[in-house]
């Protein structure tokens, strides 16, 4: 704050929830401190980060002997499901049964692929979970192995 003396500077701190990015645009604040994940909303409001105050991470911590162990297990299972869904996509494709073994080496899935017979003799449909980070290479390799109609679907949630 160049050109402003310390006795002229005043700061008011207020807790605001919701779309705090709008406070600057509405003239309610000169600046904000906000928890952001990607910064997309901030940039959409025409703002930019001046500095990072703190890098954080979310963790799930339970007591060794929780009062409600079943509830703790359900919460853990749900968090793991979301984490799995963020890491994987569902890849579906059709392939001749004679080429299935080769395709399963390319994309074996987390446990095993789901294979369903098609109406066309000698052909199967395959569904398999693949890590997002490798899906493009996997699709190329599946196509090289003879797979057709290769689809990739987002996973909203999952359970082991």
């Amino acid at each position: 704050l160049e050109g402003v003396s310390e006795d002229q500077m005043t700061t008011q701190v207020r807790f605001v929830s919701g779309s705090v990015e709008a406070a600057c645009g509405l003239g309610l604040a000169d600046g904000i401190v906000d928890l952001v994940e990607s910064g997309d909303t901030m940039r959409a409001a025409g703002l930019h980060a001046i500095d990072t105050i703190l890098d954080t991470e979310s963790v799930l911590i339970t007591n060794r002997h929780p009062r409600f162990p079943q509830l703790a297990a359900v919460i853990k299972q749900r968090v793991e499901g979301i984490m799995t869904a963020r890491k994987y996509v569902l890849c579906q494709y059709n392939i001749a049964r004679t080429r299935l073994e080769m395709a399963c080496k390319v994309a074996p899935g987390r446990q095993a692929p789901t294979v369903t017979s098609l109406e066309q003799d000698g052909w199967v449909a395959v569904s398999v979970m693949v890590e997002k980070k490798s899906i493009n290479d996997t699709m190329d390799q599946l196509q090289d192995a003879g797979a057709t109609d290769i689809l990739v679907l987002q996973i909203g949630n999952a359970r082991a």
Side-chain angles (χ1 to χ4, degrees):
L1 298 171
E2 296 174 19
V4 178
S5 66
E6 279 192 40
D7 60 326
Q8 291 176 310
M9 289 187 223
T10 59
T11 302
Q12 293 179 357
V13 177
R14 296 186 184 190
F15 176 79
V16 180
S17 64
S19 301
V20 297
E21 297 88 356
C24 291
L26 294 171
L28 301 174
D30 295 325
I32 59 171
V33 174
D34 195 11
L35 296 174
V36 296
E37 183 175 345
S38 67
D40 291 343
T41 306
M42 176 184 64
R43 283 187 292 280
L47 304 174
H48 67 279
I50 295 170
D51 200 359
T52 300
I53 298 170
L54 179 68
D55 288 315
T56 64
E57 68 178 330
S58 298
V59 295
L60 175 63
I61 300 170
T62 61
N63 185 320
R64 288 186 195 156
H65 307 288
R67 287 187 358 201
F68 306 102
Q70 292 167 324
L71 178 60
V74 166
I75 292 170
K76 180 178 182 265
Q77 185 178 39
R78 290 180 181 179
V79 169
E80 287 172 343
I82 295 294
M83 291 171 58
T84 297
R86 288 181 179 173
K87 185 176 180 181
Y88 290 89
V89 290
L90 182 65
C91 182
Q92 297 180 322
Y93 60 91
N94 296 335
I95 195 162
R97 187 173 285 281
T98 56
R99 295 177 167 262
L100 179 61
E101 185 176 341
M102 187 183 331
C104 289
K105 287 180 182 173
V106 170
R110 285 187 64 200
Q111 184 171 356
T114 300
V115 180
T116 307
S117 295
L118 293 177
E119 289 293 319
Q120 184 176 351
D121 284 339
W123 280 78
V124 294
V126 180
S127 294
V128 64
M129 289 174 67
V130 177
E131 283 193 46
K132 285 182 183 180
K133 66 182 180 184
S134 64
I135 189 59
N136 288 316
D137 290 338
T138 300
M139 291 173 73
D140 294 339
Q141 292 171 28
L142 286 171
Q143 190 170 24
D144 291 345
T148 63
D149 306 317
I150 303 169
L151 305 174
V152 175
L153 307 167
Q154 297 300 316
I155 299 172
N157 205 332
R159 293 293 186 271

